Amino acid sequence: MLKFGIIGCGRIAQRHAEQMMGFGKLMAVCDIDAQKAQALSGMYKAQAYTNLEAFLEQAPSMDLVAVCTPNYLHAEHTVKALRKGVHVICEKPMAIHSADCREMISVAHDIGKQLFIVKQNRFNPPVQAVKELLERKKLGMIYSVHLNCIWNRNADYYTSSDWKGKKEKDGGILYTQFSHFIDLLYWFFGELAEAKAFVTNVAHEDCIEFEDTTVASLRFQNGILGSAHFSINSYQKNREGSLTIIAEKGMVKIGGEYLNKLEYQYIQDSPMTLMDEGKEANDYGSYQGSMSNHHLVYQHVEEVLTKGIKNEFDGTNGLKTVEMIEKIYQAADATHH
C-alpha cells in the first residue's frame, strides 16, 4: 500500500487521485485555493493544506508526491518535495527551462529518490507498436518523419486561468499542449541536431503572449530529417495528432486526434497487428487533453518503487523533451530577428 500526496488540485490532479487509490491511499493534498484543496481531499478522505511548507512537513509520511501545479512551478515544487525525502511524479512539461530540469535530476540523484515525468502517450497501443517496429529495424533506413498536431484552445481556456497563455508561466504551446508529441519524436528518433522554425499568433492575440502556430524543420543527430506543425487554431475541437514515417521498407502513419489510431501501414515484411486504440482522451469538459493512460503510468511507478525495475520515465526523458522544445523556439527567435 503506497501512500501518496498531491501538490496542485486542478483538473489533472483528479486523474492522479483516481489512479493513486488503485495502488494505495491518498494521504494529503495541497493548493493555495482552499476550495480546490477541500474538494479534492473530501473525495478521498485526505488531509487538505493551503500552505506548501505545512504540507511538506507531512511529506515524509508519504512514499510519493505528485506535482500537478502550473508549468512554471514544477521545478520548485519537485525540488522541495524531493528534499523532504519523497519520490516525485511530475506532470508535463517537466519544467520550462532545461536548467531547471537539470537541477531536478541532480537533487533526485543526490537524495536517492525516484523522479518520474508523466509520459502517457508512450502507452498508446499504436505508439507502442511503432516503437517495436523501430527497435526491430523492420522499416530499414528511416528517410523522413512528419508530425502534425492540430488542436483547439479557445479564448475561454486562457482567460479562465491566471497562468495559461502567460509566456513566463506557461512557456508556449509546445510545452502545455504538445510536449507529449515532442517526447515521442525523442523516444522514436533520438535527439535533435538542429531546427529551423517559424512561429506566429494569428487567432489568439487578445489572450496569449506567445504563438498559436509553430512550423519547424528538424534534423536529428542520426541524420533523419523531419517536419513538425503545431496549431491550436483547429475549428471548434481537437482534430489531429499524427506522425508519418517514410522509410526504406515501408511507410506507417499513426493519427487520430492523439496518436491513438493506425491510419495506414505499408510494410515490406511484417505489418503490425493492431490491438485496440487505447482509452479515451482526458476530458476536461470544454476541451480535451492527451490520452488517458495514467493508470499505466501509475502501474509503472508502483513496479519501480516496489519491485525495483528500471524507471523508464526518469528526469532525463523529461529533460530531452524540454531541450528539443528550447531548440525549436530558439530557432524561431533567430528566424524572427
Side-chain angles (χ1 to χ4, degrees), residues 144-164:
S144 64
V145 299
H146 308 280
L147 179 66
N148 228 10
C149 300
I150 308 170
W151 280 15
N152 171 281
R153 290 293 180 269
N154 59 25
D156 290 348
Y157 169 84
Y158 289 104
T159 54
S160 65
S161 162
D162 63 358
W163 67 273
K164 286 174 183 164

Side-chain angles (χ1 to χ4, degrees), residues 55-303:
F55 169 88
L56 289 173
E57 284 308 311
Q58 307 302 315
S61 65
M62 305 171 217
D63 299 297
L64 177 134
V65 164
V67 172
C68 300
T69 46
N71 297 356
Y72 72 106
L73 295 170
H74 285 182
E76 178 192 336
H77 291 166
T78 295
V79 166
K80 283 182 174 176
L82 286 167
R83 288 203 166 123
K84 283 296 180 181
V86 293
H87 305 292
V88 173
I89 180 168
C90 179
E91 262 297 338
K92 62 80 188 165
M94 182 175 177
I96 48 179
H97 302 288
S98 56
D100 288 337
C101 296
R102 289 189 193 93
E103 184 191 8
M104 294 159 78
I105 292 167
S106 172
V107 171
H109 178 266
D110 292 348
I111 303 280
K113 291 294 173 183
Q114 293 286 352
L115 171 59
F116 302 89
I117 310 301
V118 174
K119 303 281 184 189
Q120 78 260 25
N121 275 13
R122 291 190 185 187
F123 289 109
N124 292 0
V127 168
Q128 296 221 307
V130 169
K131 176 68 173 173
E132 190 186 348
L133 267 186
L134 294 169
E135 287 190 334
R136 291 168 60 208
K137 310 241 185 295
K138 290 293 184 184
L139 290 171
M141 182 180 175
I142 306 298
Y143 294 150
S144 64
V145 299
H146 308 280
L147 179 66
N148 228 10
C149 300
I150 308 170
W151 280 15
N152 171 281
R153 290 293 180 269
N154 59 25
D156 290 348
Y157 169 84
Y158 289 104
T159 54
S160 65
S161 162
D162 63 358
W163 67 273
K164 286 174 183 164
K166 308 287 192 296
K167 178 74 174 167
E168 294 301 315
K169 295 182 175 183
D170 181 322
I173 63 174
L174 302 195
Y175 286 107
T176 306
Q177 276 69 53
F178 302 122
S179 65
H180 285 316
F181 296 90
I182 293 167
D183 169 63
L184 294 184
L185 289 180
Y186 166 69
W187 200 41
F188 284 173
F189 310 112
E191 295 185 54
L192 276 184
E194 63 175 325
K196 310 278 187 193
F198 294 92
V199 297
T200 186
N201 183 344
V202 286
H204 291 78
E205 287 183 331
D206 56 342
C207 59
I208 64 176
E209 296 174 354
F210 43 74
E211 87 289 1
D212 61 13
T213 307
T214 300
V215 176
S217 301
L218 312 171
R219 184 169 63 82
F220 293 86
Q221 288 186 0
N222 53 19
I224 295 171
L225 295 182
S227 66
H229 168 226
F230 307 95
S231 172
I232 54 165
N233 296 327
S234 176
Y235 185 64
Q236 291 187 338
K237 69 186 283 285
N238 295 354
R239 301 285 171 181
E240 180 179 339
S242 71
L243 181 66
T244 305
I245 302 173
I246 302 169
E248 177 187 9
K249 296 181 181 176
M251 279 183 67
V252 61
K253 180 180 182 181
I254 45 177
E257 291 170 47
Y258 313 98
L259 290 173
N260 59 318
K261 293 179 180 169
L262 176 63
E263 299 275 357
Y264 62 71
Q265 59 172 331
Y266 307 105
I267 298 170
Q268 185 176 302
D269 297 324
S270 48
M272 297 183 287
T273 50
L274 214 59
M275 1 20 81
D276 63 53
E277 291 178 355
K279 294 173 73 72
E280 293 299 303
N282 285 316
D283 193 340
Y284 302 117
S286 60
Y287 69 98
Q288 288 193 311
S290 289
M291 294 305 290
S292 177
N293 288 326
H294 280 72
H295 62 301
L296 297 170
V297 172
Y298 270 88
Q299 188 176 308
H300 182 68
V301 166
E302 186 207 33
E303 288 176 353

